[in-house]
Amino acid sequence: MENVLRPLIVIGGSVVLTLVVGWLADRLLRRADARHRETPLWGLLRRCRIPLRLALLTAILRGSYDEIEWGPVQDHEAGLGQFLTLVLIGASAWLVVRIATAVVESSYTRYAASTRDPARVRRVRTQVTLIQRVVSAIVAVVAVASMLLTFPAMRTAGASLLASAGILGIVAGVAAQSTLGNLFAGLQIAFGDMVRIGDTVVVDGEWGVVEEITLTFLAVRTWDERRLTMPVSYFTSKPFQNWSRGGAQMTGTVFFHLDHSAPLPLMRERLALILKECPAWDGRDFSLAVTDTTPSTIQVRATVTAKDADDIWTVRVTVREQMVAWLHAEHPYALPRITTGEAPSARPASEDERP
């Protein structure tokens, strides 16, 4: 009877103790979250409930499993202890990553709530995202290394591995040169503030918004919902356009090719009326001027402003569409024309053919 009760007591007591401690921790975090609404950290830490309970249960079982005097457990005592150790390391790593994520997200949320500059918010968001990925990668590497070192064979091979660490480091550096280059480029982007999540960029003639930045690649969402995935080293080695650098406000241009008789003063008045009825115009500035001329046409440039890249596109297409429609309806003579003449009915006679 004792051989049956002892495993039940040890396992059941471990489960009950884990549930009680987990409930108390969740209760305390919930109260702290209710008292400190301005700090989202306590609410985010509640996401750690599952890894906390798993790590706690595994730790209790790891310390008390040898007290179970039961045949199957005693026959596989070494393997069971090894398994519990591996699970404990994995659960601990999971818990550390969740805690680090909660701290990073809490810091970003508080900074975003207290800062009105969108550029700074995007910069901090990019930095904390990459910091979170770096921490997760480091914790994962340490956890895997700790798991491997629990095996006796790996501990025996540790001395020889350390002895050849220099050679292995050189070989790994040469083999992973591209990967390491992207890794350091990602860190340079994060802390060099050259491109941020949410920035409007033009890369290889493609206009889009930076959607994701990782340690190795960067994703750009184009205007037609395509995703351009590029290595981060591209942005540290080649030029690109960042329309959000220094502020989101933009100035756009609209070109018209018109006849020399185009009514420019009336066009300026019409441009002002079009912009007043366009919600995307930010009201900062506008202008209209002749920028070039040819024997048959003149080039008229309208300059408009907007608060960001999306609105400047809307303003440009609105001005272009309504101005052409107005010219066609009210001043058709201002549109470019091609002058043609009738072809002669017969070929002119040469001097030898003339009488």
Side-chain angles (χ1 to χ4, degrees), residues 96-161:
V96 171
V97 171
R98 282 290 182 90
I99 293 175
T101 302
V103 173
V104 170
E105 290 185 4
S106 175
S107 301
Y108 167 72
T109 303
R110 295 187 63 182
Y111 183 83
S114 60
T115 304
R116 296 183 179 181
D117 188 354
R120 291 186 178 181
V121 173
R122 291 198 305 270
R123 180 181 62 187
V124 173
R125 180 185 175 187
T126 303
Q127 293 176 352
V128 298
T129 300
L130 290 181
I131 290 174
Q132 179 180 341
R133 295 180 185 274
V134 170
V135 171
S136 300
I138 293 175
V139 172
V141 171
V142 173
V144 172
S146 301
M147 290 180 179
L148 293 177
L149 290 177
T150 59
F151 295 93
M154 293 301 298
R155 289 197 298 266
T156 304
S160 57
L161 288 176

Side-chain angles (χ1 to χ4, degrees), residues 26-46:
D26 184 65
R27 186 79 173 179
L28 293 175
L29 291 175
R30 187 179 302 176
R31 288 186 176 181
D33 186 35
R35 293 179 179 177
H36 305 281
R37 290 293 185 183
E38 74 283 358
T39 304
L41 176 62
W42 310 110
L44 294 174
L45 285 176
R46 294 187 61 200

Side-chain angles (χ1 to χ4, degrees), residues 16 27 75 94 158 160 196 217 229 253 289 294 312 316 321 327 346 349:
V16 171
R27 186 79 173 179
D75 295 339
W94 187 12
S160 57
R196 298 158 297 209
F217 71 89
T229 303
T253 56
T294 66
I312 199 65
R316 291 175 62 193
E321 178 181 348
L327 289 173

Side-chain angles (χ1 to χ4, degrees), residues 16 141 184 204 310 329 342 349 351:
V16 171
V141 171
F184 288 111
D204 283 343
D310 292 335
E342 295 182 357
E351 295 182 357

